[in-house]
CSV table of all heavy atoms in Angstrom, one decimal:
chain,number,residue,atom,x,y,z
W,162,ALA,N,-5.4,-17.2,0.8
W,162,ALA,CA,-5.3,-16.1,1.7
W,162,ALA,C,-3.9,-15.4,1.4
W,162,ALA,O,-3.9,-14.1,1.3
W,162,ALA,CB,-5.4,-16.4,3.2
W,163,LEU,N,-2.9,-16.2,1.3
W,163,LEU,CA,-1.5,-15.6,1.0
W,163,LEU,C,-1.5,-14.9,-0.4
W,163,LEU,O,-0.9,-13.9,-0.5
W,163,LEU,CB,-0.5,-16.6,1.2
W,163,LEU,CG,-0.2,-17.1,2.6
W,163,LEU,CD1,0.8,-18.3,2.6
W,163,LEU,CD2,0.3,-16.0,3.5
W,164,ARG,N,-2.2,-15.6,-1.3
W,164,ARG,CA,-2.2,-15.1,-2.7
W,164,ARG,C,-3.0,-13.7,-2.7
W,164,ARG,O,-2.5,-12.8,-3.3
W,164,ARG,CB,-2.9,-16.0,-3.6
W,164,ARG,CG,-2.6,-15.8,-5.1
W,164,ARG,CD,-3.2,-16.8,-6.0
W,164,ARG,NE,-2.7,-18.2,-5.6
W,164,ARG,CZ,-3.5,-19.1,-5.2
W,164,ARG,NH1,-4.9,-19.0,-5.1
W,164,ARG,NH2,-3.1,-20.4,-4.9
W,165,LEU,N,-4.0,-13.6,-2.0
W,165,LEU,CA,-4.8,-12.4,-1.9
W,165,LEU,C,-4.0,-11.3,-1.2
W,165,LEU,O,-4.1,-10.2,-1.6
W,165,LEU,CB,-6.1,-12.7,-1.0
W,165,LEU,CG,-7.2,-11.7,-1.1
W,165,LEU,CD1,-7.8,-11.5,-2.5
W,165,LEU,CD2,-8.3,-12.2,-0.1
W,166,MET,N,-3.3,-11.7,-0.1
W,166,MET,CA,-2.5,-10.8,0.6
W,166,MET,C,-1.4,-10.1,-0.3
W,166,MET,O,-1.1,-8.9,-0.4
W,166,MET,CB,-1.7,-11.5,1.7
W,166,MET,CG,-0.7,-10.7,2.6
W,166,MET,SD,0.0,-11.7,3.8
W,166,MET,CE,1.5,-12.2,2.9
W,167,ASP,N,-0.7,-11.0,-1.2
W,167,ASP,CA,0.3,-10.5,-2.1
W,167,ASP,C,-0.4,-9.6,-3.2
W,167,ASP,O,0.3,-8.6,-3.6
W,167,ASP,CB,1.0,-11.7,-2.8
W,167,ASP,CG,1.9,-12.4,-1.8
W,167,ASP,OD1,2.3,-11.8,-0.7
W,167,ASP,OD2,2.2,-13.6,-2.0
W,168,GLN,N,-1.5,-10.0,-3.7
W,168,GLN,CA,-2.2,-9.2,-4.8
W,168,GLN,C,-2.5,-7.7,-4.3
W,168,GLN,O,-2.2,-6.8,-5.1
W,168,GLN,CB,-3.5,-9.8,-5.2
W,168,GLN,CG,-3.3,-11.1,-6.1
W,168,GLN,CD,-4.6,-11.8,-6.3
W,168,GLN,OE1,-5.6,-11.4,-5.8
W,168,GLN,NE2,-4.6,-12.9,-7.2
W,169,HIS,N,-2.9,-7.6,-3.1
W,169,HIS,CA,-3.3,-6.3,-2.6
W,169,HIS,C,-2.2,-5.6,-1.9
W,169,HIS,O,-2.4,-4.4,-1.5
W,169,HIS,CB,-4.5,-6.4,-1.8
W,169,HIS,CG,-5.7,-6.9,-2.5
W,169,HIS,ND1,-6.4,-6.1,-3.5
W,169,HIS,CD2,-6.4,-8.1,-2.5
W,169,HIS,CE1,-7.5,-6.8,-3.9
W,169,HIS,NE2,-7.4,-8.0,-3.4
W,170,GLY,N,-1.0,-6.2,-1.6
W,170,GLY,CA,0.1,-5.6,-1.0
W,170,GLY,C,-0.3,-5.3,0.5
W,170,GLY,O,0.2,-4.3,1.0
W,171,LEU,N,-1.0,-6.2,1.1
W,171,LEU,CA,-1.5,-6.1,2.5
W,171,LEU,C,-0.8,-7.1,3.3
W,171,LEU,O,-0.1,-8.0,2.8
W,171,LEU,CB,-3.0,-6.1,2.6
W,171,LEU,CG,-3.8,-5.1,1.9
W,171,LEU,CD1,-5.3,-5.4,1.8
W,171,LEU,CD2,-3.5,-3.7,2.4
W,172,LYS,N,-1.1,-7.1,4.7
W,172,LYS,CA,-0.5,-8.1,5.6
W,172,LYS,C,-1.7,-8.8,6.3
W,172,LYS,O,-2.7,-8.2,6.6
W,172,LYS,CB,0.4,-7.4,6.6
W,172,LYS,CG,1.6,-6.7,5.9
W,172,LYS,CD,2.3,-5.9,6.9
W,172,LYS,CE,3.5,-5.3,6.1
W,172,LYS,NZ,4.2,-4.3,6.9
W,173,LEU,N,-1.5,-10.0,6.6
W,173,LEU,CA,-2.5,-10.8,7.3
W,173,LEU,C,-2.2,-10.7,8.8
W,173,LEU,O,-1.1,-10.9,9.3
W,173,LEU,CB,-2.5,-12.3,6.9
W,173,LEU,CG,-3.3,-12.7,5.7
W,173,LEU,CD1,-3.0,-14.1,5.4
W,173,LEU,CD2,-4.7,-12.5,6.0
W,174,VAL,N,-3.3,-10.4,9.6
W,174,VAL,CA,-3.1,-10.3,11.0
W,174,VAL,C,-4.1,-11.1,11.7
W,174,VAL,O,-5.3,-11.2,11.3
W,174,VAL,CB,-3.4,-8.8,11.4
W,174,VAL,CG1,-3.3,-8.6,12.9
W,174,VAL,CG2,-2.3,-7.8,10.8
W,175,LEU,N,-3.7,-11.9,12.7
W,175,LEU,CA,-4.6,-12.8,13.4
W,175,LEU,C,-5.4,-12.0,14.4
W,175,LEU,O,-4.8,-11.2,15.2
W,175,LEU,CB,-3.7,-13.8,14.2
W,175,LEU,CG,-4.5,-14.8,15.1
W,175,LEU,CD1,-5.4,-15.6,14.3
W,175,LEU,CD2,-3.5,-15.5,15.9
W,176,LEU,N,-6.7,-12.1,14.3
W,176,LEU,CA,-7.6,-11.4,15.2
W,176,LEU,C,-8.1,-12.3,16.4
W,176,LEU,O,-8.0,-11.9,17.5
W,176,LEU,CB,-8.8,-10.8,14.5
W,176,LEU,CG,-8.6,-9.7,13.5
W,176,LEU,CD1,-9.9,-9.2,12.9
W,176,LEU,CD2,-7.9,-8.5,14.1
W,177,ARG,N,-8.6,-13.4,16.0
W,177,ARG,CA,-9.1,-14.4,17.0
W,177,ARG,C,-8.7,-15.8,16.6
W,177,ARG,O,-9.0,-16.2,15.5
W,177,ARG,CB,-10.6,-14.3,17.1
W,177,ARG,CG,-11.1,-13.1,17.9
W,177,ARG,CD,-12.6,-13.0,17.9
W,177,ARG,NE,-13.0,-12.6,16.6
W,177,ARG,CZ,-14.2,-12.7,16.0
W,177,ARG,NH1,-15.2,-13.4,16.8
W,177,ARG,NH2,-14.5,-12.3,14.9
W,178,GLU,N,-8.0,-16.5,17.5
W,178,GLU,CA,-7.6,-17.8,17.2
W,178,GLU,C,-8.4,-18.8,18.0
W,178,GLU,O,-8.2,-20.1,17.8
W,178,GLU,CB,-6.1,-18.1,17.4
W,178,GLU,CG,-5.6,-17.9,18.8
W,178,GLU,CD,-4.2,-18.2,18.9
W,178,GLU,OE1,-3.6,-18.9,18.1
W,178,GLU,OE2,-3.5,-17.7,19.9
W,179,ASN,N,-9.3,-18.4,18.9
W,179,ASN,CA,-10.0,-19.3,19.8
W,179,ASN,C,-11.3,-19.8,19.1
W,179,ASN,O,-12.0,-20.6,19.6
W,179,ASN,CB,-10.4,-18.7,21.1
W,179,ASN,CG,-9.1,-18.3,21.9
W,179,ASN,OD1,-8.1,-18.7,21.6
W,179,ASN,ND2,-9.4,-17.4,22.9
W,180,VAL,N,-11.6,-19.4,17.8
W,180,VAL,CA,-12.8,-19.8,17.1
W,180,VAL,C,-12.4,-20.7,16.0
W,180,VAL,O,-11.2,-20.8,15.6
W,180,VAL,CB,-13.5,-18.5,16.6
W,180,VAL,CG1,-14.1,-17.7,17.7
W,180,VAL,CG2,-12.7,-17.7,15.7
W,181,GLU,N,-13.3,-21.4,15.5
W,181,GLU,CA,-13.0,-22.4,14.4
W,181,GLU,C,-13.8,-21.9,13.2
W,181,GLU,O,-14.9,-21.9,13.1
W,181,GLU,CB,-13.5,-23.8,14.8
W,181,GLU,CG,-12.9,-24.9,14.0
W,181,GLU,CD,-11.5,-24.9,14.0
W,181,GLU,OE1,-10.7,-24.8,15.0
W,181,GLU,OE2,-10.9,-25.2,12.8
W,182,PRO,N,-13.1,-21.6,12.0
W,182,PRO,CA,-11.7,-21.4,11.8
W,182,PRO,C,-11.2,-20.0,12.4
W,182,PRO,O,-12.0,-19.2,12.6
W,182,PRO,CB,-11.6,-21.4,10.3
W,182,PRO,CG,-12.8,-20.9,9.8
W,182,PRO,CD,-13.9,-21.3,10.8
W,183,PRO,N,-9.9,-19.9,12.6
W,183,PRO,CA,-9.4,-18.7,13.2
W,183,PRO,C,-9.6,-17.5,12.2
W,183,PRO,O,-9.6,-17.7,11.0
W,183,PRO,CB,-7.9,-18.9,13.4
W,183,PRO,CG,-7.7,-20.3,12.9
W,183,PRO,CD,-8.9,-20.9,12.4
W,184,VAL,N,-9.8,-16.3,12.8
W,184,VAL,CA,-10.1,-15.1,12.0
W,184,VAL,C,-8.9,-14.3,11.8
W,184,VAL,O,-8.1,-13.9,12.7
W,184,VAL,CB,-11.2,-14.2,12.7
W,184,VAL,CG1,-11.5,-13.0,11.9
W,184,VAL,CG2,-12.4,-15.1,13.0
W,185,TYR,N,-8.6,-14.0,10.5
W,185,TYR,CA,-7.5,-13.2,10.1
W,185,TYR,C,-8.0,-12.0,9.3
W,185,TYR,O,-9.1,-12.1,8.7
W,185,TYR,CB,-6.6,-13.9,9.2
W,185,TYR,CG,-5.6,-14.9,9.9
W,185,TYR,CD1,-6.1,-16.1,10.3
W,185,TYR,CD2,-4.3,-14.6,10.2
W,185,TYR,CE1,-5.2,-17.0,10.9
W,185,TYR,CE2,-3.5,-15.4,10.8
W,185,TYR,CZ,-3.9,-16.6,11.2
W,185,TYR,OH,-3.1,-17.5,11.8
W,186,ARG,N,-7.3,-10.9,9.4
W,186,ARG,CA,-7.8,-9.7,8.7
W,186,ARG,C,-6.6,-9.2,7.8
W,186,ARG,O,-5.4,-9.2,8.2
W,186,ARG,CB,-8.2,-8.6,9.7
W,186,ARG,CG,-8.7,-7.4,9.0
W,186,ARG,CD,-9.3,-6.4,9.9
W,186,ARG,NE,-9.8,-5.3,9.2
W,186,ARG,CZ,-10.4,-4.2,9.7
W,186,ARG,NH1,-10.6,-4.2,11.0
W,186,ARG,NH2,-10.8,-3.2,9.0
W,187,LEU,N,-6.9,-8.7,6.7
W,187,LEU,CA,-6.0,-8.0,5.8
W,187,LEU,C,-5.9,-6.6,6.2
W,187,LEU,O,-6.9,-5.9,6.3
W,187,LEU,CB,-6.5,-8.1,4.3
W,187,LEU,CG,-6.4,-9.5,3.7
W,187,LEU,CD1,-7.2,-9.5,2.4
W,187,LEU,CD2,-5.0,-10.0,3.4
W,188,MET,N,-4.6,-6.1,6.5
W,188,MET,CA,-4.5,-4.7,7.0
W,188,MET,C,-3.2,-4.1,6.3
W,188,MET,O,-2.3,-4.9,6.0
W,188,MET,CB,-4.3,-4.7,8.5
W,188,MET,CG,-5.5,-5.2,9.3
W,188,MET,SD,-5.1,-5.2,11.0
W,188,MET,CE,-6.1,-3.9,11.7
W,189,THR,N,-3.2,-2.8,6.3
W,189,THR,CA,-2.0,-2.1,5.8
W,189,THR,C,-1.1,-1.9,7.1
W,189,THR,O,-1.5,-2.1,8.2
W,189,THR,CB,-2.3,-0.7,5.3
W,189,THR,OG1,-2.9,0.1,6.4
W,189,THR,CG2,-3.3,-0.8,4.1
W,190,GLY,N,0.2,-1.6,6.8
W,190,GLY,CA,1.1,-1.3,7.9
W,190,GLY,C,0.6,-0.2,8.9
W,190,GLY,O,0.8,-0.3,10.1
W,191,GLN,N,0.0,0.8,8.3
W,191,GLN,CA,-0.6,1.9,9.1
W,191,GLN,C,-1.7,1.5,10.0
W,191,GLN,O,-1.7,1.8,11.2
W,191,GLN,CB,-1.1,3.1,8.1
W,191,GLN,CG,-1.6,4.3,8.8
W,191,GLN,CD,-0.6,5.0,9.7
W,191,GLN,OE1,0.6,5.0,9.3
W,191,GLN,NE2,-1.0,5.6,10.8
W,192,GLN,N,-2.6,0.6,9.5
W,192,GLN,CA,-3.7,0.1,10.3
W,192,GLN,C,-3.1,-0.7,11.4
W,192,GLN,O,-3.7,-0.7,12.6
W,192,GLN,CB,-4.6,-0.7,9.4
W,192,GLN,CG,-5.5,0.1,8.5
W,192,GLN,CD,-6.3,-0.8,7.6
W,192,GLN,OE1,-5.8,-1.9,7.1
W,192,GLN,NE2,-7.6,-0.4,7.3
W,193,ILE,N,-2.1,-1.6,11.2
W,193,ILE,CA,-1.5,-2.4,12.2
W,193,ILE,C,-0.9,-1.5,13.3
W,193,ILE,O,-1.1,-1.7,14.5
W,193,ILE,CB,-0.5,-3.3,11.6
W,193,ILE,CG1,-1.1,-4.4,10.7
W,193,ILE,CG2,0.4,-4.0,12.7
W,193,ILE,CD1,-0.2,-5.2,9.9
W,194,HIS,N,-0.2,-0.4,12.9
W,194,HIS,CA,0.4,0.5,13.9
W,194,HIS,C,-0.7,1.2,14.7
W,194,HIS,O,-0.5,1.2,15.9
W,194,HIS,CB,1.2,1.5,13.1
W,194,HIS,CG,1.9,2.5,14.0
W,194,HIS,ND1,2.9,2.2,14.9
W,194,HIS,CD2,1.7,3.8,14.2
W,194,HIS,CE1,3.3,3.2,15.5
W,194,HIS,NE2,2.6,4.2,15.2
């Protein structure tokens, strides 16, 4: 996941941690804002 994040120049954001496995999304800084 970190390698994918670096390749695309995006950031990983935790969406849901109460599920197994936790859900993360690749987002741009603008999307996060």
Side-chain angles (χ1 to χ4, degrees):
L163 291 174
R164 196 173 309 115
L165 193 62
M166 177 182 90
D167 291 338
Q168 285 174 354
H169 295 288
L171 300 172
K172 297 173 180 169
L173 271 173
V174 176
L175 177 65
L176 292 184
R177 285 179 282 160
E178 65 179 335
N179 299 345
V180 294
E181 196 56 45
V184 179
Y185 282 80
R186 182 171 181 180
L187 291 167
M188 298 176 112
T189 62
Q191 180 65 31
Q192 287 173 322
I193 293 171
H194 180 68

